[in-house]
Structures are given as C-alpha cells and as structure tokens.
Amino acid sequence: MRLNMHTHSVYCDGKDTPEEMIGTAIQKGFSILGFSGHGYSPYDTCSMNEANTARYIEAINTLKERYRNEITIYLGIEQDSTCRIPSKDPYDFVIGSVHFLEKDGKYRPIDFSRDELIAILEEWYEGDFLHLAQDYYQEVARQGQFEEVDIIGHLDLLTKYNEDESFVSFSSPAYLKLVEACIASIGTDKIYEVNTGAIARGYRRTPYPHRTILDILHAFGGKLMLNSDCHNRKDLDCGFEEALRLIKDCGFDCLYILKDGDYVPVSIDAFH
Ligand SMILES: [Zn+2]
Ligand SMILES: [Zn+2]
C-alpha cells in the first residue's frame, strides 16, 4: 500500500502538472493519489483564486476518470484556517491547516521563513515562544471543530524551524501541555497526518508531528495518515520509510486510508 493525500501541483505553488504527478505515482506503485491544492485565502499568495479553483476541480475530475483503471485519484483541498471553503460538495476530502496567526486584523505566516517567525515572535510575543504556541494550538483546535475538515494538516507546523530546538524543546512539559489540550479538544474523529514535507525541503530531519506529539496522539487513540505534502513529483514518497519506522516505533499498528467515502484502517505492515 502506498498513498499520498497531500500534494500540490501547478494549480497552486507546486512545480508539476497533476498528470505528471499521476505518472510518477503509478511508477512508484501508489494505489491512491489525492490532490490538495491551497484553497483560497486572501493572505496567501500561493492559494488558488476562484477561477483557478474551478479549473483545478475540472482538471482533477477529468484525470480521475482517465486513470480510473490504474490508480484511485481523489480531489481534495488544503483549507487554511483563515478562509473556509464555500462548499465541500466538489471535494472528496479536506485538509485543515493553520499557516497564519492573526493580531489586530493583521495576518502573518508562521512557515514563510525563519526570519519571519522570529519577527512575529519578537514583535507580537516579546520573544515568548510558549505564548505564540498557545495562540497557534488554539487556532488548530478551532479549525479542528470545522465539520468540513477530515484531516488535520501538519499539526506542529510552528516547529518548522525548530530542528535545533532553538525555539522550544520538543519535550518541554509546558509546550506539550498546549499540544495535549489541542488534541483533546479536536478528539479522535479527525485524521491526523504525519507529514514529511519539511524533510524534502531540508528544514527538518523528522516528520510533523514530532515524536513527542506522536506519543500523545497514540495515548489518545489518534488516527494517522502518512502524506508528503510534496510540491514536486519526485518527493511523492519523500521520507516515507523513516516515517513508517517512527510511526511503528510509537506503537501505532495501522494507518488510515480513504475508501468509498470512509476513513478505514489498514495494517501498517501493508505500507512501504
Ligand atoms: Zn500546509
Ligand atoms: Zn500543503
């Protein structure tokens, strides 16, 4: 079993066409490929406007039919917490992600660059990372209540530049308490993704969420799905081997896949 439900194509900020990505997915032995273009957000220059969203929907639906005997294609969207999609109807699935924090009506991205994160931290939080993390996880928890959201995207994206733990220790009890409250509030109906996107781009050596958070998710009975959040077809399965090892190590024995409109568990041993 190989799948990826978090991928970006030329319709938003990805490098390849959906058809090129499908070709590579088939070559790599994927049975499921989901597209998750950035849903429109006025603050996000990578997101798809209304006209582009319509073209994206049409293109993926056409490819779904064209390749139906070779691979299952799903049409999804990555919705930022700042801007909900007008309707879930066209989509097979929705990933909910928090990329921005808001203060006094101003929105700033936490994942744009290390310098921007530091600027937000200094200008909005007087350098107090736990305070920033509190606002971030509250926003993740808020989005986790949106009924259209199926999958919680890159749960701890705010640690994109924290590989060296210079912002926070991944095992800080105060930090993990914020994460735990967030997970408790979202519950276990949604799927949490393990996302290897930052590995492909060289920011992190391990996937989101960090191991310490995977342990919390395991204790809560959280359901996981493995995605690469790739912006490039060569990264469709980037970091999957290490991620599978980590997920098993944390005690999970299955991963969830989308099948006939439901999220169903598949033994982790079936994945490679
Ligand atoms: Zn994202
Ligand atoms: Zn993404």
Side-chain angles (χ1 to χ4, degrees):
M1 172 63 69
R2 308 198 91 191
L3 78 148
N4 193 344
M5 299 276 279
H6 193 156
T7 67
H8 298 281
S9 71
V10 288
Y11 283 92
C12 53
D13 55 345
K15 298 282 174 291
D16 299 315
T17 65
E19 195 153 23
E20 287 172 329
M21 295 170 75
I22 291 169
T24 303
I26 293 170
Q27 264 172 26
K28 284 179 183 277
F30 278 59
S31 37
I32 297 172
L33 179 63
F35 288 95
S36 58
H38 285 288
Y40 179 68
S41 161
Y43 317 105
D44 186 358
T45 51
C46 299
S47 69
M48 301 182 287
N49 63 20
E50 204 180 320
N52 208 19
T53 303
R55 281 194 291 271
Y56 165 71
I57 292 171
E58 203 193 319
I60 304 302
N61 281 333
T62 303
L63 292 166
K64 208 187 256 191
E65 281 308 306
R66 190 177 299 162
Y67 288 93
R68 62 178 309 142
N69 294 324
E70 291 167 81
I71 187 167
T72 302
I73 302 293
Y74 288 127
L75 168 63
I77 193 113
E78 181 179 15
Q79 171 187 265
D80 189 78
S81 67
T82 56
C83 203
R84 293 173 81 168
I85 48 171
S87 161
K88 193 177 179 174
D89 287 349
Y91 304 110
D92 298 312
F93 70 97
V94 175
I95 298 177
S97 296
V98 174
H99 304 103
F100 295 89
L101 287 177
E102 183 266 342
K103 199 179 168 88
D104 303 327
K106 196 177 173 205
Y107 291 81
R108 296 174 79 171
I110 50 142
D111 63 334
F112 179 72
S113 69
R114 188 184 179 98
D115 284 349
E116 175 66 6
L117 181 65
I118 290 170
I120 296 169
L121 183 60
E122 296 304 327
E123 290 162 32
W124 284 4
Y125 295 97
E126 294 171 343
D128 181 354
F129 191 81
L130 279 179
H131 191 188
L132 184 154
Q134 184 176 21
D135 280 1
Y136 171 82
Y137 283 112
Q138 261 169 18
E139 182 64 1
V140 177
R142 187 180 76 86
Q143 193 184 35
Q145 314 306 317
F146 297 171
E147 35 102 24
E148 72 274 20
V149 169
D150 303 297
I151 301 164
I152 305 296
H154 42 59
L155 181 64
D156 57 349
L157 181 68
L158 86 165
T159 60
K160 181 171 178 178
Y161 307 106
N162 192 52
E163 183 67 37
D164 56 2
E165 299 186 277
S166 58
F167 292 95
V168 69
S169 160
F170 284 115
S171 46
S172 151
Y175 170 69
L176 292 177
K177 225 173 118 181
L178 298 173
V179 182
E180 213 171 285
C182 172
I183 293 168
S185 151
I186 295 170
T188 52
D189 286 346
K190 312 277 189 200
I191 306 289
Y192 293 86
E193 77 166 357
V194 175
N195 178 315
T196 61
I199 300 176
R201 281 173 269 179
Y203 295 113
R204 291 275 301 266
R205 287 191 297 275
T206 56
Y208 307 113
H210 192 267
R211 190 195 172 108
T212 49
I213 298 178
L214 285 174
D215 286 337
I216 295 172
L217 279 169
H218 185 253
F220 267 89
K223 301 171 190 158
L224 301 187
M225 173 185 277
L226 175 58
N227 292 324
S228 88
D229 197 356
C230 64
H231 290 67
N232 192 319
R233 64 191 147 150
K234 76 169 174 40
D235 294 326
L236 269 169
D237 56 354
C238 177
F240 274 15
E241 219 182 301
E242 302 91 301
L244 284 170
R245 218 175 300 130
L246 172 68
I247 293 165
K248 268 194 226 180
D249 244 33
C250 292
F252 292 88
D253 54 12
C254 62
L255 287 172
Y256 282 73
I257 69 163
L258 178 58
K259 195 169 187 251
D260 304 325
D262 278 319
Y263 291 89
V264 296
V266 171
S267 164
I268 196 157
D269 294 324
F271 289 83
H272 64 95

